[in-house]
Amino acid sequence: MASVPHPQPSESAILSEIRLYVSTTEKDAERILDILTDIFGEEDYALGTTEVDEKRDLWEASVYLMADEEEEVRQRMSDGLAPAFPQALIEREVIPDVDWIAKSLEGLKPVRARRFLVHGSHDRDKVRPNDVSIEIDAGQAFGTGHHGTTAGCLEMIDAVARARPIRNALDLGTGSGVLAIGLRKIRNIPILATDIDPVAVRVAQENVRRNGIVSGLRLVTAPGFHSPAFRQQGPFDLIIANILARPLMRMAPQLAANLASGGSVILSGILAEQRWKVLAAYNAVHLRHVHTLWRNGWVTIHLRQGQ
């Protein structure tokens, strides 16, 4: 199978994690993910697929692991793929252990989204008495509040939380954890926050501590809806997914299956011109459009189950 080279840091660097991956097509990536889920699904490994090149239909199916587990995991991966994909080439990317939390938001101004104020540690003095403060310093994980999708989601979360009771929520693709943190600060409810990237989950865990949240917010490294965490904590009254339009469309049936009766969905990571395709995918699983919020060329969409 074809492969795409990844820049490799020096082997002398401090290393904590390895990504083993196979480069393939979108269709085969989903088949490989199913096989990897059968092999590793009940263990503490992050699995997932990533689109590398849309025009070439080039995807990667990956397993994230600690460096000292590489030999064993590679062998299990190779043995599991051999029957269906005997020619699969397992490649390797080293993920350096970087203290991303130490990086600051210097030069970025606080962002206001209705009653939320997202700010760095150096801007604590900008918080007003009635603000819901979310302190996020820049890191590797996506979502400091400065992107239109993150700010749009916070605005929509505030609107939905004011309009409807929420008992149980899911933040899918949590990134920095900013959305889950914001919701937990205004609603004392259990929240599951997941991300495919273990680095993002570590960053989010630090941000949760930084914001003084000590309970009620569970962070899990999980690919898609394959993790048992969704069955353990769902179904959810509110699902928030700030990802990208194409994966949001693909996961519509699974997302709807994890939604409680009458529940709400907030979707973002969607360019304005992609809105109708996303709406069509969710209408097909009986979620109706409630409201669209437009911000900086991106949209955030609120949908609900039922009438």
Side-chain angles (χ1 to χ4, degrees), residues 15-56:
L15 306 175
S16 63
E17 289 171 328
I18 300 291
R19 181 174 74 98
L20 298 179
Y21 64 96
V22 174
S23 298
T24 183
T25 64
E26 179 179 7
K27 181 179 178 181
D28 283 348
E30 291 300 323
R31 293 175 59 200
I32 291 172
L33 180 61
D34 288 339
I35 294 171
L36 296 178
T37 301
D38 289 340
I39 301 170
F40 302 109
E42 299 301 319
E43 302 175 53
D44 190 23
Y45 295 108
L47 313 173
T49 59
T50 306
E51 184 179 43
V52 177
D53 190 322
E54 180 178 0
K55 291 183 179 179
R56 295 165 57 200

Side-chain angles (χ1 to χ4, degrees), residues 110-118 126-128 130-134 145 150-164 186-187 266 291-293 295 300 302:
V111 171
R112 187 170 299 280
R114 293 179 66 133
R115 55 177 155 164
F116 295 108
L117 185 73
V118 185
K126 304 296 194 302
V127 181
R128 302 171 186 169
N130 293 324
D131 286 343
V132 177
S133 163
I134 307 174
T150 309
C153 279
L154 286 170
E155 291 188 33
M156 195 71 84
I157 286 169
D158 188 37
V160 172
R162 288 177 186 272
R164 297 183 56 79
I186 63 172
R187 288 293 179 269
I266 296 173
H291 181 62
T292 296
L293 189 153
R295 188 163 184 151
T300 300
H302 175 208

Side-chain angles (χ1 to χ4, degrees), residues 93-106:
E93 179 187 15
V94 174
I95 302 172
D97 188 8
V98 179
D99 184 8
W100 294 99
I101 304 303
K103 296 181 179 293
S104 74
L105 276 172
E106 188 174 355

Side-chain angles (χ1 to χ4, degrees), residues 205-219:
Q205 287 169 338
E206 175 62 26
N207 286 333
V208 168
R209 288 190 291 269
R210 180 190 299 270
N211 282 272
I213 297 172
V214 297
S215 65
L217 205 170
R218 180 186 179 195
L219 286 148

